[in-house]
Amino acid sequence: MLYQSTRGGWRPVSAAEAIKQGLAPDGGLYVPEEQVVFSPAEWERLLGMEYPELAFTVLKRLLTDFTSEEVRQCVSRAYNPDTFDSPAVTPLVHLKGNEYILELWHGPTAAFKDLALQILPHLLTTSLVKTGEKDEIVILVATSGDTGTAALDGFHDVAGTRIVVFYPEQGVSEVQKRQMITQVGGNVAVISVQGNFDDAQSGVKAIFGNQPFNQSLAERNKKLSSANSINWGRLAPQIVYYISAYSQLLKQRGTRFGEPVNVVVPTGNFGNILAAYYAQRMGLPLRRLICAANANNVLTDFIRTGVYDRNREFFKTISPSMDILISSNLERLLFEVTGRDHRQIRSWMGALVEKGVYQVDGETREKIRAGFWSDSADDKQTRDTIRDTYRECGYLLDTHTAVGRFVYQRYLEATGDDIPTVIASTASPFKFCSSVTEALFPEEPAGQDEFHLLRLLAERCGLSIPRGLQGLENREILHQAGTTPDGMRAAVGKVLGL
Ligand SMILES: *Cc1c(COP(=O)(O)O)cnc(C)c1O
């Protein structure tokens, strides 16, 4: 099976080539040419599998140019007791009634990005060998916090690769920042950008699109690639945990085989929820994909009205990994629901770049509305949800997951559709401990050191600090470089010695 670009300006390529390139040369995103669907008998087998076997089976069907041995090796290196501190990898926890929490934060950096970024380096290095690549691959990452930490953990000291991470100076938590600037590895660079996440992401996209710069890299046997969720190698592994969630729900007798469930996903770049959409297309019985947004609710408006308008105020919220106004992966959804209409995608994406806004036709809008539902939570609603959930259920949510649960409650009120529902929990509460502490213990003075708050939260809630966040304040600071959005290309040049 080959992969085609959503914009139709490039020939279809193998999975290995798609993973190596990240973004297609015409600016589009790679999607599988065929729709993979598992038969009922296959579903029965899939739903009985442990996580690594499930990951192997799903990825083997998607990455058809990889041998079984190659996929198996990538999977076993990514999902094992050294990387994930739960045997289920993504355990499903019963909250109350028909509500379940899918904990996606048991990996090394305590956020869901680990599920994809622990395996992507292995998929990529395998792809380099398979495609006979001789150049060094330079991974450029723009991060709202979690991608950067997870990509650095996944890629450090991976042979044949360099990684350069840009993070918005004011847009990440102290814990996230410390995770990044203390990252060891001979092939890593971490650079702060004076701007927000969209500035960093646009800067990275501009570097990808800069022909002379790419040419001069090529002359030095280097090639750019991406670890952002535009890379198919990141999206594919995320499909697995939705299947795992359903399988765990069956085991906990939360549903019966074939019965539908809803999924709630705290959304930013639309990668995580898109993985749920692909799982649904493979035949997983998901009814509604509920897209939870924070005050940057461009997706909520889009799902309701069919108008995508990024010309609006940008808010810094307490769920910073969702502070995004340009959701790149939406392009893949639009491609699928328009029946793969390249021309239409080019025109909408062109309008987004030129005017910051586009409107889809009525048919596309209705198709999206049939499958998705969306609402948003502001910071107060987020904090209230953290507090109320802790009081009611004794379960501690992080700020992003709290946005998800708040929006789910809105969904219940609006629709009465109370079938079993899986809320994707995208980060450990410890990763955003100052906001979580503020929500739970408002009497605590503001402005306390985040590392102190980690311990406070652990003690007061009787939880242990995730492995990857322990001892963070004692690690040596190794990266202090900073730049402006306009200086990003030069910064990459400097790192690479151009
Ligand atoms: C990245 C991230 C999100 C948003 O996920 P997308 O795939 O970009 O929609 C939500 N929550 C957390 C904690 C994240 O790190």
Side-chain angles (χ1 to χ4, degrees):
M1 178 172 68
L2 295 179
Y3 285 74
Q4 64 179 132
S5 164
T6 49
R7 304 210 183 160
W10 193 250
R11 67 185 160 77
V13 299
S14 67
E17 191 67 40
I19 290 169
K20 185 170 88 180
Q21 290 178 17
L23 196 66
D26 63 353
L29 308 187
Y30 283 115
V31 292
E33 275 202 319
E34 292 149 38
Q35 187 173 335
V36 171
V37 180
F38 289 111
S39 69
E42 284 176 312
W43 275 113
E44 199 127 13
R45 278 200 303 280
L46 284 172
L47 294 171
M49 289 176 184
E50 299 291 321
Y51 200 96
E53 188 63 19
L54 179 63
F56 165 78
T57 311
V58 172
L59 291 174
K60 183 73 188 86
R61 274 294 273 275
L62 290 168
L63 315 177
T64 51
D65 51 326
F66 283 54
T67 66
S68 292
E69 193 43 44
E70 286 166 342
V71 178
R72 211 174 276 288
Q73 226 180 50
C74 291
V75 164
S76 67
R77 287 177 179 166
Y79 309 118
N80 62 60
D82 289 333
T83 53
F84 287 83
D85 67 6
S86 162
V89 181
T90 59
L92 186 76
V93 176
H94 182 228
L95 193 61
K96 66 178 268 207
N98 263 341
E99 268 181 273
Y100 295 80
I101 301 280
L102 181 63
E103 294 182 346
L104 300 175
W105 40 260
H106 286 270
T109 73
F112 90 94
K113 307 287 197 297
D114 286 328
L115 271 309
L117 284 163
Q118 282 299 307
I119 194 165
L120 181 65
H122 305 299
L123 295 175
L124 180 67
T125 45
T126 308
S127 299
L128 297 182
V129 174
K130 295 182 78 63
T131 55
E133 183 61 56
K134 299 283 186 296
D135 287 357
E136 182 177 55
I137 298 296
V138 180
I139 310 283
L140 289 189
V141 179
T143 184
S144 56
D146 294 329
T147 297
T149 57
L152 288 165
D153 191 275
F155 274 102
H156 76 87
D157 294 326
V158 170
T161 71
R162 297 283 286 267
I163 174 162
V164 184
V165 170
F166 290 101
Y167 69 93
E169 199 167 64
Q170 305 299 331
V172 300
S173 79
E174 192 53 38
V175 166
Q176 289 174 318
K177 182 172 169 187
R178 195 65 74 97
Q179 283 180 297
M180 290 190 276
I181 63 178
T182 60
Q183 178 66 52
V184 295
N187 64 337
V188 310
V190 178
I191 301 168
S192 71
V193 179
Q194 293 162 24
N196 61 36
F197 170 70
D198 286 318
D199 296 326
Q201 177 161 260
S202 300
V204 162
K205 280 190 183 163
I207 298 172
F208 273 105
N210 186 311
Q211 290 308 332
F213 185 70
N214 281 276
Q215 188 57 41
S216 70
L217 284 179
E219 284 159 14
R220 291 165 174 84
N221 300 318
K222 296 183 198 306
K223 214 182 235 133
L224 296 179
S225 187
S226 166
N228 278 97
S229 60
I230 52 176
N231 192 318
W232 179 257
R234 249 191 78 174
L235 214 83
Q238 296 183 192
I239 296 169
V240 177
Y241 50 73
Y242 289 105
I243 303 176
S244 165
Y246 193 84
S247 146
Q248 293 181 70
L249 201 54
L250 289 176
K251 287 196 192 93
Q252 296 179 23
R253 303 194 187 283
T255 194
R256 286 197 309 265
F257 181 61
E259 294 287 315
V261 305
N262 288 323
V263 167
V264 183
V265 187
T267 302
N269 228 346
F270 211 75
N272 200 357
I273 195 166
L274 189 74
Y277 171 79
Y278 277 112
Q280 183 185 45
R281 282 165 58 100
M282 290 174 163
L284 189 68
L286 304 181
R287 179 185 283 169
R288 220 60 187 289
L289 306 180
I290 300 165
C291 170
N294 64 22
N296 297 295
N297 56 1
V298 61
L299 283 167
T300 302
D301 291 346
F302 173 71
I303 288 170
R304 290 180 177 178
T305 66
V307 178
Y308 195 100
D309 188 356
R310 63 152 303 198
N311 301 315
R312 59 177 71 207
E313 194 181 342
F314 176 87
F315 296 102
K316 268 184 56 172
T317 73
I318 59 170
S319 44
S321 302
M322 297 155 68
D323 289 348
I324 292 177
L325 292 179
I326 305 173
S327 294
S328 306
N329 268 298
L330 189 60
E331 179 168 345
R332 284 189 167 110
L333 177 71
L334 292 171
F335 184 65
E336 301 293 358
V337 297
T338 55
R340 317 201 136 198
D341 187 341
H342 300 117
R343 200 189 48 77
Q344 192 63 83
I345 299 300
R346 277 199 303 273
S347 116
W348 289 334
M349 294 306 130
L352 184 61
V353 171
E354 277 160 36
K355 306 191 200 83
V357 54
Y358 62 89
Q359 174 165 18
V360 300
D361 56 276
E363 190 189 335
T364 302
R365 184 188 65 219
E366 289 315 309
K367 276 190 188 157
I368 291 173
R369 270 173 39 164
F372 291 80
W373 194 90
S374 185
D375 205 340
S376 65
D378 64 24
D379 281 354
K380 177 170 187 319
Q381 291 163 330
T382 305
R383 277 194 289 266
D384 288 351
T385 306
I386 293 174
R387 195 194 54 232
D388 295 348
T389 305
Y390 192 67
R391 287 194 186 150
E392 249 180 79
C393 316
Y395 187 88
L396 192 57
L397 300 172
D398 94 291
T399 49
H400 304 77
T401 313
V403 169
R405 183 157 196 248
F406 177 84
V407 167
Y408 176 58
Q409 285 164 344
R410 280 282 172 89
Y411 175 77
L412 277 180
E413 284 162 22
T415 64
D417 177 25
D418 63 354
I419 61 169
T421 295
V422 171
I423 300 175
S425 176
T426 50
S428 155
F430 286 98
K431 200 151 183 186
F432 299 92
C433 59
S434 64
S435 303
V436 170
T437 318
E438 193 188 335
L440 274 191
F441 311 116
E443 70 283 1
E444 282 291 324
Q448 294 189 68
D449 173 70
E450 276 199 30
F451 303 106
H452 166 73
L453 293 178
L454 279 177
R455 290 186 291 270
L456 181 121
L457 204 57
E459 272 165 34
R460 303 267 297 261
C461 297
L463 297 168
S464 49
I465 299 173
R467 227 158 42 178
L469 304 183
Q470 292 171 9
L472 208 50
E473 75 259 53
N474 302 324
R475 289 186 210 156
E476 189 187 349
I477 291 172
L478 301 169
H479 308 277
Q480 288 178 316
T483 185
T484 59
D486 290 337
M488 288 170 62
R489 197 187 67 221
V492 175
K494 193 166 162 213
V495 167
L496 301 177
L498 301 191

